[in-house]
Amino acid sequence: MNRAAPVEVAGLGKRYRQTTSGQEVVAIDRLDFRIESGEIVAIVGQTGCGKSTFLDILIGLEAPSSGSLSVGGFTPYGDFDRFRGRIATVFQQDRLLPWRSSLDNVRLPLELAGMPEKEQRERSLGWLERLGLGKFTGAYPHELSGGMRQRVAIARAFALEPAILLADEAFGHLDEVTAAELRETFVKLARECGSTSVLITHQLEEAIAVGDRILVFGKPATVLADVSVAQWPREDYAGLREAIQATLQANAPDPRLKR
Amino acid sequence: MKPSSILPEAKAAGLFGRFPREGLVSLLVLAAVWETLAQLSPTLGIPPFAVPSFVRIGRSLLTVTPIDVAITLLRVLGALLVSFVLGMTLAMVMYLSETLERHARPVIRLLMAVPIISWILFAILWFRGVEFRVAFVLVIVCAPVFLVDALDSMRDVSRDWRDMLRSFRPTRVQFFTKLMLPATLPSILTSWKIVMSLAIRVVTIAELVGAVTGIGHQLNVAQQLFSVADVFAWTLVLVASLFLLEYVLTLAEARLLKWRPA
Ligand SMILES: Nc1ncnc2c1ncn2[C@@H]1O[C@H](COP(=O)(O)OP(=O)(O)OP(=O)(O)O)[C@@H](O)[C@H]1O
Ligand SMILES: [Mg+2]
């Protein structure tokens, strides 16, 4: 697996059996698509359509029920340890460890990857600096604002300079100004790292601002539309937004978004 | 157990924990009542040895042999360390294997339901070495508390954190050292407090099983001599030792949990 790796999703399905009723829930119906190396893809979909489930499979926390998902030729679930140091996620809510300072939180994945101590420190300090947290390296999470904590979480993900970078509603709970700022930083850094990036969101503006491409998920997850944002006329982003909205509402592809 | 309540307490702690003025007043009143009883015992027809005066108790305190105190405390600390390592190890293994947990839980509950006196009798019947008997009783009483507390608090560690850590591919050892142990540290420290006072109370009874040293043995001797003053003195020493140990633990806690918001 190289610095950046393509993602291959073929006939992917995921079913859960509910603990109490024993009933089967289809979280992902069938997904087929490919994400190229270094591409930034935004995934949008209604709540409960299986976005987080897809991400869990992509991270390797869950196994697919059918079909396959591979990153650079390896499956995140089956080849779990092969992804050490190569995959990083920015979660909704920072998920920082409260007993670690900013610096030590950013270091965490580097420690797990077995990087030499000195390099861990230098790299983490560098990333905190780039995210404007140079003065807060020793602060504990509870001493930081929500926006600052999310910056630490972003630094933690980027510090690995991962082949694949994931984000699940990473900016959803922040105010609009902070969110816009961090989105921009995220895209800039992802481009610099060259990581293949998958960003899950329910905000269409965010998807359009961040993604090279937008995958619109139906419910239960299927790809309703696959839009190249780059090829969409810039002055008509409002139209793109409307078309995606219509697709989500109808749970069927809008004619304006031909696949 | 509410680990969240630990730190403010720890910060305000003196040698006796948070000690309200009212507590001091009650203690002084209690002491005054005792001393009055001691002075009035001849007139009240109470045998003089039953309620010794503080002067008499003070004289007994001077006869307390530090070596016995040290031996008892060493027995307690040694047994606590063994119990802790044993309890934590088993907790980690059981955390990883739910099958094992399902098998072991009932056994542990059974062990925890056995009265201390029964363990002491078993110890006498099964083992010859005095030190081993004492250690056995202490460990069998303390280790399950460490185990159950640790296991429960590990199971309580949020799925969000576990998923976050797992997404970065920790080894099994890292999973515990980087997440589980620090996350459960507040509750581990609470267990130490509970188990320490348990051990201090159990060790004296355990020392009755043939020990010729230690506070428990000295209490036994005092009882045979009908010396309430001596019993009082040794008990005071024991309680003071417990407070001291608790104080050390509170200091450690304030240091280890300094990351907590005040
Ligand atoms: N562990 C599980 N057991 C049973 N059902 C599950 C489980 N995880 C998810 N589901 C079901 O799968 C479906 C998809 O859930 P998922 O969390 O992936 O949706 P989502 O698109 O992320 O929603 P949201 O936008 O609200 O975060 C839901 O119907 C949910 O109830
Ligand atoms: Mg979700």
Side-chain angles (χ1 to χ4, degrees):
Chain A
M1 211 187 313
N2 288 325
R3 245 318 258 294
V7 179
E8 193 90 51
V9 181
L12 184 74
K14 179 71 185 178
R15 275 160 287 278
Y16 285 112
R17 195 166 290 285
Q18 272 181 345
T19 337
T20 41
S21 63
Q23 260 178 351
E24 210 171 65
V25 184
V26 179
I28 296 177
D29 185 21
R30 189 189 162 91
L31 290 172
D32 292 277
F33 58 86
R34 189 184 150 85
I35 300 174
E36 300 304 332
S37 290
E39 214 176 4
I40 302 181
V41 170
I43 294 177
V44 296
Q46 286 179 46
T47 177
C49 77
K51 302 184 295 293
S52 296
T53 303
F54 171 70
L55 200 78
D56 282 348
I57 296 173
L58 187 48
I59 296 175
L61 298 172
E62 294 278 353
S65 309
S66 54
S68 69
L69 179 152
S70 69
V71 179
F74 297 103
T75 59
Y77 187 84
D79 306 313
F80 195 80
D81 286 326
R82 226 173 233 288
F83 285 78
R84 182 170 299 134
R86 297 186 170 127
I87 190 166
T89 310
V90 184
F91 295 92
Q92 177 176 22
Q93 312 299 353
D94 46 78
R95 301 201 193 176
L96 298 180
L97 300 178
W99 56 86
R100 284 176 170 249
S101 64
S102 307
L103 176 65
D104 288 342
N105 265 294
V106 176
R107 264 163 81 141
L108 176 73
L110 309 181
E111 286 171 30
L112 299 180
M115 183 182 283
E117 195 127 340
K118 191 160 166 280
E119 204 182 330
Q120 283 176 23
R121 219 186 123 75
E122 278 164 12
R123 245 217 237 191
S124 311
L125 284 173
W127 279 100
L128 281 168
E129 201 80 52
R130 296 183 71 173
L131 281 145
L133 290 166
K135 289 207 175 69
F136 296 92
T137 55
Y140 287 111
H142 75 86
E143 296 167 325
L144 303 173
S145 72
M148 289 158 98
R149 281 202 294 271
Q150 199 62 1
R151 275 173 207 276
V152 178
I154 292 174
R156 175 175 67 188
F158 277 107
L160 269 180
E161 295 172 12
I164 178 154
L165 182 64
L166 315 170
D168 189 3
E169 304 283 3
F171 317 109
H173 63 297
L174 301 171
D175 67 83
E176 200 35 59
V177 179
T178 315
E181 203 179 292
L182 285 189
R183 250 177 241 146
E184 213 170 287
T185 313
F186 182 89
V187 174
K188 186 172 139 252
L189 297 177
R191 292 251 188 271
E192 277 175 33
C193 280
S195 312
T196 308
S197 310
V198 179
L199 181 117
I200 285 173
T201 177
H202 57 251
Q203 285 177 292
L204 300 185
E205 278 84 3
E206 182 167 305
I208 295 170
V210 173
D212 297 326
R213 221 170 113 200
I214 299 175
L215 295 174
V216 184
F217 277 15
K219 188 173 179 178
T222 52
V223 177
L224 291 180
D226 183 342
V227 195
S228 165
V229 180
Q231 284 167 23
W232 198 274
R234 216 165 216 297
E235 60 284 357
D236 190 32
Y237 277 174
L240 174 58
R241 204 195 113 91
E242 265 168 42
I244 295 173
Q245 191 79 51
T247 305
L248 289 172
Q249 260 154 16
N251 203 27
D254 186 88
R256 283 169 284 182
L257 305 174
K258 46 197 181 307
R259 241 205 108 166
Chain B
M1 256 177 291
K2 239 183 43 221
S4 60
S5 65
I6 288 170
L7 195 73
E9 211 176 298
K11 274 194 174 149
L15 189 50
F16 298 97
R18 234 187 359 193
F19 209 88
R21 195 176 320 152
E22 292 89 332
L24 198 64
V25 172
S26 331
L27 277 186
L28 285 176
V29 168
L30 215 63
V33 170
W34 178 279
E35 189 61 29
T36 317
L37 271 181
Q39 297 303 328
L40 295 181
S41 59
T43 23
L44 293 174
I46 304 171
F49 66 83
V51 191
S53 73
F54 279 108
V55 178
R56 175 72 194 78
I57 292 168
R59 234 179 290 135
S60 286
L61 269 177
L62 290 177
T63 67
V64 163
T65 38
I67 183 73
D68 285 296
V69 181
I71 286 174
T72 296
L73 292 183
L74 277 178
R75 281 174 182 149
V76 167
L77 291 179
L80 282 179
L81 278 179
V82 173
S83 307
F84 178 66
V85 172
L86 203 67
M88 289 304 290
T89 311
L90 285 173
M92 287 189 265
V93 174
M94 281 162 73
Y95 180 85
L96 291 175
S97 161
E98 284 188 35
T99 327
L100 181 67
E101 182 180 352
R102 273 196 298 276
H103 282 92
R105 275 266 185 189
V107 179
I108 293 159
R109 291 199 49 180
L110 192 78
L111 290 184
M112 290 177 89
V114 174
I116 291 166
I117 192 69
S118 310
W119 287 126
I120 291 175
L121 296 177
F122 284 134
I124 296 172
L125 295 168
W126 288 341
F127 310 116
R128 300 195 50 138
V130 171
E131 288 310 323
F132 193 83
R133 283 178 184 170
V134 175
F136 168 80
V137 173
L138 282 173
V139 170
I140 202 120
V141 171
C142 297
V145 182
F146 277 125
L147 193 168
V148 170
D149 280 4
L151 187 57
D152 286 346
S153 54
M154 285 198 268
R155 293 248 179 264
D156 276 348
V157 171
S158 82
R159 170 144 192 206
D160 282 358
W161 276 350
R162 284 185 283 133
D163 282 355
M164 182 278 289
L165 200 80
R166 277 176 53 75
S167 76
F168 291 121
R169 272 61 183 173
T171 61
R172 204 163 269 184
V173 172
Q174 286 171 335
F175 181 74
F176 285 103
T177 55
K178 309 279 178 194
L179 179 65
M180 283 302 172
L181 293 181
T184 57
L185 189 61
S187 110
I188 290 175
L189 287 168
T190 307
S191 309
W192 265 93
K193 285 189 174 168
I194 292 167
V195 175
M196 213 158 60
S197 76
L198 179 66
I200 287 273
R201 281 171 291 148
V202 170
V203 70
T204 43
I205 327 173
E207 279 174 341
L208 297 178
V209 283
V212 289
T213 48
I215 297 179
H217 167 70
Q218 293 296 350
L219 280 169
N220 198 21
V221 171
Q223 184 257 321
Q224 280 160 10
L225 297 173
F226 291 100
S227 172
V228 177
D230 285 356
V231 172
F232 205 115
W234 282 105
T235 307
L236 267 184
V237 170
L238 196 65
V239 171
S241 314
L242 176 61
F243 283 167
L244 194 72
L245 288 178
E246 279 180 350
Y247 178 60
V248 171
L249 207 58
T250 322
L251 289 185
E253 196 171 53
R255 239 187 113 78
L256 290 169
L257 304 183
K258 67 173 190 301
W259 52 268
R260 292 181 152 236

